[in-house]
Amino acid sequence: MSLTRRLMLKAAGAVTALTMTATGALASDTLRVGLGDIASVESLNLLIAMERAKERGVDMEMTFFNSEDVAVQAVLSGEAHIGVGAPYAFMANSKAPIRMFYRMSTLLFFPVVNSEVYSGWSDLDGEEITVHSRGSGTEALMRLMEKVHGIEYANISYVPGSEVRAGAMLQGTINASIVDAANFRLLLEKGGDKFAKLPLDGVNATDEALYARADVLEGRADDMQIFVEELLRTWNDIAENPAIVAELRDQYNLLADLPDDVIADAVPYYEEAVANGIYPLNGGQESDAADDMAFLSAAGQVEGDPADVNPSDFWDFSALNAAKAAMN
């Protein structure tokens, strides 16, 4: 997809977000999910789970915000019930009454450079890089590599959407970034030897999770349990047969406005994601919090000894445990 088209989609999402009011969201029975990104095939698994929850009587709605920062503020203010992301640093610093309750995906990203400009990590010393958003997993990974390789970036720019960053690299407006597997493949297909992947040691950390305010998790416990049941069912269905994404997208008429060439990438994207183990099938566990904190500490995004982390400071597994019990 072109950079212009992606930015148009992003703008449309921003307009949608601005139509909401804080009093209207929590006063309604509709569970509102706030996503700090643009509409893309990466959202299909979540949208499918939401449609399945709606079939069971839980009315749900997705709203696209300008950034993850805006989304977390929307959850805090009551514009949305549920957010998408992994706001560890925000939670640690603010002590906000929000908790993650479902681990959606783990980090799998590819630091990539224009090989005509850079050849390795050392070349990025004093240079600008581009990541997804402030506090995101992409920033944490690049910050960690800054420490590992003893370099210091001149500046970090924030451009939401892996597709947008890949498009900017193809157009030559940025020369160093980090993208997901599908867009790294796109760069190689379109640019050939022009783009090179920088080495990145394996990191097992949360990329995106679902989070909510404590009062929402408690007050909407029955609805949250149903939603988590459908998340688990959808994640496992996709792991068994990634092609089901296309079938369910048609069934629920999801992202109907996306161009045909983007939709055509949906099944290959999920096939690759499943092959790389991006989507956990258990929804998360307490040990994930320790792994995440170790990664974020090494990346300089949180302070303190990771061994001292209390999972309950960041996670609430009540809805997940209830969903698993009901499904067994």
Side-chain angles (χ1 to χ4, degrees):
M1 178 182 288
S2 70
L3 177 60
T4 300
R5 188 179 295 166
R6 280 291 177 189
L7 291 175
M8 289 174 64
L9 282 171
K10 179 180 175 184
V15 170
T16 301
L18 291 172
T19 65
M20 299 184 60
T21 63
T23 56
L26 291 184
S28 168
D29 288 336
T30 301
L31 272 180
R32 303 189 187 279
V33 180
L35 176 64
D37 206 340
I38 53 180
S40 73
V41 297
E42 296 175 41
S43 311
L44 279 172
N45 51 359
L46 176 57
L47 291 168
I48 289 167
M50 290 171 61
E51 290 296 322
R52 287 174 157 183
K54 287 164 67 175
E55 290 178 335
R56 296 179 60 187
V58 181
D59 190 28
M60 303 196 71
E61 180 178 299
M62 175 77 81
T63 300
F64 298 93
F65 290 95
N66 281 335
S67 69
E68 291 182 11
D69 291 341
V70 177
V72 73
Q73 291 297 332
V75 171
L76 282 174
S77 68
E79 284 187 79
H81 297 88
I82 297 168
V84 181
Y88 274 104
F90 177 84
M91 295 166 70
N93 294 329
S94 68
K95 306 299 182 184
I98 59 174
R99 293 294 183 268
M100 290 174 279
F101 64 89
Y102 188 86
R103 195 186 203 201
M104 293 177 59
S105 60
T106 55
L107 286 171
L108 181 68
F109 286 104
F110 297 82
V112 59
V113 295
N114 181 337
S115 61
E116 297 173 353
V117 181
Y118 308 118
S119 60
W121 284 109
S122 61
D123 295 335
L124 295 181
D125 190 30
E127 300 294 316
E128 181 178 50
I129 64 164
T130 303
V131 302
H132 175 68
S133 65
R134 195 178 303 276
S136 66
T138 58
E139 182 184 32
L141 280 169
M142 296 301 274
R143 287 291 192 191
L144 179 58
M145 292 301 101
E146 191 178 33
K147 288 188 173 185
V148 168
H149 296 281
I151 59 177
E152 184 176 355
Y153 309 128
N155 183 51
I156 294 183
S157 295
Y158 301 99
V159 177
S162 191
E163 300 90 344
V164 179
R165 297 192 299 279
M169 293 201 74
L170 287 169
Q171 294 180 18
T173 56
I174 62 175
N175 292 310
S177 188
I178 181 168
V179 298
D180 61 20
N183 284 284
F184 177 63
R185 185 178 68 245
L186 174 68
L187 288 174
L188 295 183
E189 291 174 353
K190 300 289 187 180
D193 295 338
K194 181 178 179 180
F195 301 106
K197 177 172 70 74
L198 299 185
L200 181 67
D201 293 334
V203 177
N204 181 23
T206 300
D207 179 21
E208 288 188 334
L210 295 173
Y211 59 88
R213 284 189 348 207
D215 60 331
V216 173
L217 289 167
E218 181 178 356
R220 301 291 298 270
D222 291 344
D223 289 340
M224 297 295 277
Q225 177 185 326
I226 290 173
F227 179 37
V228 172
E229 287 178 24
E230 295 308 324
L231 288 163
L232 289 167
R233 183 160 73 101
T234 300
W235 262 233
N236 280 270
D237 285 350
I238 292 173
E240 183 176 343
N241 175 25
I244 198 173
V245 171
E247 300 171 17
L248 294 173
R249 175 191 166 272
D250 288 341
Q251 177 181 329
Y252 296 120
N253 193 32
L254 298 172
L255 302 182
D257 294 334
L258 287 183
D260 291 341
D261 59 330
V262 176
I263 292 302
D265 287 335
V267 171
Y269 169 82
Y270 283 94
E271 288 174 341
E272 189 163 13
V274 168
N276 284 292
I278 291 178
Y279 298 121
L281 302 183
N282 65 355
Q285 54 193 359
E286 289 192 0
S287 60
D288 295 332
D291 290 343
D292 289 343
M293 292 300 286
F295 163 65
L296 293 171
S297 176
Q301 292 202 0
V302 295
E303 297 180 353
D305 187 346
D308 296 334
V309 64
N310 182 351
S312 65
D313 289 340
F314 300 96
W315 288 84
D316 182 339
F317 292 104
S318 56
L320 180 60
N321 291 336
K324 288 179 177 178
M327 296 173 74
N328 289 336

